[in-house]
Short mmCIF file of all heavy atoms in Angstrom, two decimals:
data_model
loop_
_atom_site.label_atom_id
_atom_site.label_comp_id
_atom_site.label_asym_id
_atom_site.label_seq_id
_atom_site.Cartn_x
_atom_site.Cartn_y
_atom_site.Cartn_z
N LEU I 42 41.03 130.53 135.45
CA LEU I 42 40.94 131.30 136.69
C LEU I 42 40.18 132.60 136.49
O LEU I 42 39.47 133.07 137.39
CB LEU I 42 42.35 131.60 137.24
CG LEU I 42 43.04 130.50 138.03
CD1 LEU I 42 44.43 130.96 138.45
CD2 LEU I 42 42.22 130.08 139.25
N ALA I 43 40.31 133.19 135.32
CA ALA I 43 39.63 134.46 135.03
C ALA I 43 38.12 134.31 134.95
O ALA I 43 37.38 135.31 135.00
CB ALA I 43 40.16 135.04 133.71
N LEU I 44 37.62 133.07 134.86
CA LEU I 44 36.18 132.83 134.77
C LEU I 44 35.51 132.78 136.14
O LEU I 44 34.28 132.79 136.23
CB LEU I 44 35.92 131.50 134.04
CG LEU I 44 36.54 131.34 132.65
CD1 LEU I 44 36.28 129.93 132.13
CD2 LEU I 44 35.99 132.39 131.70
N LEU I 45 36.29 132.73 137.21
CA LEU I 45 35.76 132.52 138.55
C LEU I 45 35.51 133.83 139.27
O LEU I 45 36.17 134.83 139.01
CB LEU I 45 36.74 131.67 139.36
CG LEU I 45 37.21 130.35 138.72
CD1 LEU I 45 38.20 129.65 139.64
CD2 LEU I 45 36.03 129.44 138.39
N ASP I 46 34.55 133.81 140.21
CA ASP I 46 34.36 134.98 141.06
C ASP I 46 35.42 134.97 142.16
O ASP I 46 36.25 134.06 142.23
CB ASP I 46 32.94 135.04 141.64
CG ASP I 46 32.61 133.89 142.59
OD1 ASP I 46 33.54 133.34 143.23
OD2 ASP I 46 31.41 133.54 142.71
N ALA I 47 35.42 135.97 143.01
CA ALA I 47 36.50 136.15 143.99
C ALA I 47 36.61 134.96 144.94
O ALA I 47 37.71 134.49 145.24
CB ALA I 47 36.28 137.44 144.76
N VAL I 48 35.47 134.48 145.43
CA VAL I 48 35.49 133.36 146.38
C VAL I 48 35.98 132.08 145.72
O VAL I 48 36.81 131.34 146.26
CB VAL I 48 34.09 133.15 146.98
CG1 VAL I 48 34.06 131.89 147.86
CG2 VAL I 48 33.67 134.37 147.80
N GLN I 49 35.48 131.83 144.51
CA GLN I 49 35.88 130.63 143.78
C GLN I 49 37.37 130.67 143.43
O GLN I 49 38.08 129.68 143.56
CB GLN I 49 35.04 130.50 142.51
CG GLN I 49 33.56 130.26 142.78
CD GLN I 49 32.69 130.59 141.60
OE1 GLN I 49 33.18 131.04 140.54
NE2 GLN I 49 31.39 130.39 141.73
N ARG I 50 37.83 131.84 143.00
CA ARG I 50 39.24 131.98 142.64
C ARG I 50 40.13 131.76 143.86
O ARG I 50 41.18 131.11 143.78
CB ARG I 50 39.50 133.36 142.03
CG ARG I 50 40.97 133.59 141.67
CD ARG I 50 41.20 135.00 141.16
NE ARG I 50 42.62 135.28 141.06
CZ ARG I 50 43.39 135.01 140.00
NH1 ARG I 50 42.84 134.46 138.94
NH2 ARG I 50 44.68 135.30 140.00
N GLU I 51 39.71 132.29 145.01
CA GLU I 51 40.51 132.14 146.23
C GLU I 51 40.69 130.67 146.57
O GLU I 51 41.80 130.24 146.91
CB GLU I 51 39.86 132.89 147.38
CG GLU I 51 40.64 132.82 148.68
CD GLU I 51 39.98 133.58 149.81
OE1 GLU I 51 38.83 134.05 149.63
OE2 GLU I 51 40.60 133.71 150.88
N ARG I 52 39.60 129.89 146.48
CA ARG I 52 39.73 128.47 146.81
C ARG I 52 40.60 127.75 145.77
O ARG I 52 41.43 126.92 146.13
CB ARG I 52 38.35 127.82 146.88
CG ARG I 52 38.45 126.30 146.97
CD ARG I 52 37.29 125.62 147.59
NE ARG I 52 37.46 124.17 147.56
CZ ARG I 52 36.64 123.31 148.14
NH1 ARG I 52 35.61 123.74 148.83
NH2 ARG I 52 36.86 122.01 148.06
N ALA I 53 40.40 128.07 144.49
CA ALA I 53 41.17 127.41 143.45
C ALA I 53 42.66 127.69 143.58
O ALA I 53 43.50 126.78 143.50
CB ALA I 53 40.67 127.85 142.07
N VAL I 54 43.01 128.95 143.83
CA VAL I 54 44.41 129.33 143.96
C VAL I 54 45.04 128.64 145.17
O VAL I 54 46.18 128.18 145.12
CB VAL I 54 44.56 130.86 144.05
CG1 VAL I 54 45.98 131.25 144.47
CG2 VAL I 54 44.21 131.51 142.72
N ALA I 55 44.28 128.55 146.27
CA ALA I 55 44.80 127.90 147.47
C ALA I 55 45.04 126.40 147.25
O ALA I 55 45.91 125.80 147.89
CB ALA I 55 43.83 128.11 148.63
N TRP I 142 33.75 121.01 143.31
CA TRP I 142 33.17 122.17 144.01
C TRP I 142 32.93 123.31 143.01
O TRP I 142 31.89 123.96 143.05
CB TRP I 142 34.12 122.59 145.12
CG TRP I 142 33.63 123.69 146.01
CD1 TRP I 142 32.86 123.56 147.14
CD2 TRP I 142 33.90 125.10 145.87
NE1 TRP I 142 32.63 124.79 147.70
CE2 TRP I 142 33.25 125.75 146.95
CE3 TRP I 142 34.61 125.85 144.95
CZ2 TRP I 142 33.31 127.14 147.12
CZ3 TRP I 142 34.68 127.23 145.11
CH2 TRP I 142 34.03 127.86 146.19
N LEU I 143 33.89 123.54 142.12
CA LEU I 143 33.72 124.59 141.11
C LEU I 143 32.62 124.23 140.12
O LEU I 143 31.86 125.11 139.68
CB LEU I 143 35.05 124.81 140.37
CG LEU I 143 36.17 125.47 141.18
CD1 LEU I 143 37.46 125.48 140.38
CD2 LEU I 143 35.79 126.90 141.58
#
Side-chain angles (χ1 to χ4, degrees):
L42 278 178
L44 305 175
L45 308 179
D46 64 28
V48 174
Q49 295 161 358
R50 178 184 169 87
E51 182 179 8
R52 170 156 177 174
V54 169
W142 185 87
L143 290 173

